[in-house]
């Protein structure tokens, strides 16, 4: 029998990572080795929403959703929100592997 606490955590982590914004933030952090600012995240997510991930001129106006997602990922240990920007957290690799690229 598996540990129900671990199973519940894994389910919660999967649910969080499967969210569109969360998964895109993980993709962004996976491609960069330096901290990423909240503004860069907003621009990146807006680019995806507009269908042009390679080029975006204005950041998204929906920063509340982005900030909530960032807070949730930070609380789960998937990312770490530092004064220099967002970085991969201790559970980043585990979370990244939970949702396969489609």
């Amino acid at each position: 029998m598996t540990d129900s606490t671990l199973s519940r955590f894994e389910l919660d982590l999967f649910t969080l990572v499967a969210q569109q914004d969360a998964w895109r933030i993980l993709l962004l952090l996976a491609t960069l080795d330096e901290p990423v600012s909240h503004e860069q995240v907003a621009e990146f997510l807006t680019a995806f929403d507009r269908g042009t991930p390679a080029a975006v001129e204005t950041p998204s106006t929906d920063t509340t959703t982005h900030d909530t997602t960032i807070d949730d990922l930070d609380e789960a240990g998937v990312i770490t929100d530092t004064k220099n920007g967002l970085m991969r957290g201790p559970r980043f690799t585990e979370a990244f592997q939970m949702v396969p690229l489609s």
Side-chain angles (χ1 to χ4, degrees), residues 69-85:
T69 302
I70 287 168
D71 289 345
D72 291 346
L73 289 169
D74 189 20
E75 186 177 330
V78 176
I79 65 173
T80 303
D81 195 355
T82 70
K83 64 178 181 148
N84 295 324

Side-chain angles (χ1 to χ4, degrees), residues 30-93:
T31 62
L32 302 173
D33 289 326
E34 70 246 10
V36 180
S37 72
H38 285 249
E39 292 78 19
Q40 287 172 302
V41 169
E43 289 177 6
F44 184 76
L45 296 176
T46 300
F48 261 104
D49 291 341
R50 293 185 183 164
T52 56
V56 63
E57 295 178 6
T58 56
S60 170
T61 56
D62 186 17
T63 56
T64 303
T65 302
H66 302 161
D67 290 344
T68 300
T69 302
I70 287 168
D71 289 345
D72 291 346
L73 289 169
D74 189 20
E75 186 177 330
V78 176
I79 65 173
T80 303
D81 195 355
T82 70
K83 64 178 181 148
N84 295 324
L86 307 177
M87 300 172 52
R88 295 174 212 164
R91 292 197 174 270
F92 179 87
T93 302

